[in-house]
Amino acid sequence: ETGVTQSPTHLIKTRGQQVTLRCSSQSGHNTVSWYQQALGQGPQFIFQYYREEENGRGNFPPRFSGLQFPNYSSELNVNALELDDSALYLCASSVDRTMNTEAFFGQGTRLTVV
Amino acid sequence: KNEVEQSPQNLTAQEGEFITINCSYSVGISALHWLQQHPGGGIVSLFMLSSGKKKHGRLIATINIQEKHSSLHITASHPRDSAVYICAVGANFGNEKLTFGTGTRLTIIP
């Protein structure tokens, strides 16, 4: 039990649709990072939010966007879904925006785009 | 070439065997993380280290900063250890992300 909860656990969407994935972090964790994990691959960094501001972004297009809220919850939004967006989406929270502290991961949301 | 390389990619061993998984990285790092991922996806943090060695139960992690190499060892392996083990590094510049290896799939046979 990591104290990080993601919802939903599974989701099927149609190409072109929009999706919102949610993450609830541990209290006091002011940093949340989102990762995309394709089948058989390691997770790839999408972006990080620190105190409700974007604090770094990976090589993902602008149709991937996020929000972080004062209650330690966050969202990942993906517009104009493509088939290649099918993946496991993981959020990770920590007390520090550097990677020098332990990261706590959620169980992930498995998104399938058809 | 990936910034984080793991070996082996797949490992099958008998229950009770001593297991070693290796991780090499090419960037300067502030910390290295060993993570465990079970089928279904959830990731659990096993260790975070920036020098030396850490031990937790049957798990031992070591890191050699000069050689840019880390190892994860499992003593007296058990079928419940079967999982994907992932090495991830936090670089010492632009510290906002972890860079992951592709993982080592470990299967322990009873």
Side-chain angles (χ1 to χ4, degrees):
Chain A
E1 181 64 46
T2 65
V4 179
T5 306
Q6 290 187 243
S7 62
T9 54
H10 295 81
L11 194 55
I12 300 174
K13 287 286 192 177
T14 303
R15 189 172 50 184
Q17 285 187 312
Q18 179 267 342
V19 69
T20 297
L21 309 182
R22 293 182 172 82
C23 174
S24 176
S25 303
Q26 290 191 27
S27 178
H29 284 199
N30 55 26
T31 302
V32 64
S33 302
W34 285 89
Y35 296 88
Q36 180 196 67
Q37 186 178 23
L39 203 60
Q41 302 295 316
Q44 298 291 317
F45 176 70
I46 303 174
F47 44 56
Q48 183 192 78
Y49 277 79
Y50 170 70
R51 293 184 175 176
E52 302 164 48
E53 299 278 340
E54 188 177 291
N55 184 53
R57 189 177 184 91
N59 189 26
F60 281 81
R63 59 189 185 84
F64 285 77
S65 63
L67 285 171
Q68 186 186 27
F69 303 102
N71 66 351
Y72 306 107
S73 67
S74 63
E75 291 180 354
L76 164 65
N77 298 288
V78 187
N79 294 323
L81 283 167
E82 300 177 0
L83 297 180
D84 284 349
D85 296 333
S86 296
L88 180 70
Y89 289 85
L90 294 156
C91 74
S93 74
S94 60
V95 298
D96 189 334
R97 60 179 163 172
T98 71
M99 287 296 113
N100 295 330
T101 57
E102 187 175 2
F104 295 84
F105 286 82
Q107 284 291 108
T109 293
R110 188 163 299 279
L111 172 65
T112 302
V113 182
V114 298
Chain B
K1 190 178 188 305
N2 293 332
E3 290 179 332
V4 182
E5 298 273 357
Q6 285 185 239
S7 63
Q9 287 188 313
N10 294 281
L11 178 57
T12 300
Q14 292 290 132
E15 182 174 356
E17 285 190 38
F18 181 80
I19 303 298
T20 296
I21 299 171
N22 296 299
C23 175
S24 296
Y25 53 91
S26 58
V27 296
I29 67 166
S30 55
L32 182 143
H33 301 247
W34 280 104
L35 309 162
Q36 181 192 56
Q37 187 171 33
H38 279 283
I43 289 179
V44 175
S45 175
L46 299 175
F47 295 103
M48 188 196 70
L49 63 167
S50 54
S51 65
K53 174 180 173 178
K54 287 190 176 180
K55 184 175 188 293
H56 184 241
R58 295 181 294 106
L59 301 177
I60 303 166
T62 63
I63 189 169
N64 184 317
I65 296 293
Q66 287 72 33
E67 295 186 3
K68 293 188 167 64
H69 181 269
S70 175
S71 293
L72 175 69
H73 305 285
I74 304 174
T75 62
S77 59
H78 190 276
R80 65 174 174 266
D81 297 327
S82 298
V84 175
Y85 292 84
I86 304 174
C87 167
V89 301
N92 60 9
F93 60 90
N95 283 338
E96 74 280 355
K97 69 172 185 177
L98 290 176
T99 301
F100 292 77
T102 54
T104 295
R105 183 174 298 278
L106 175 66
T107 303
I108 303 297
I109 299 171

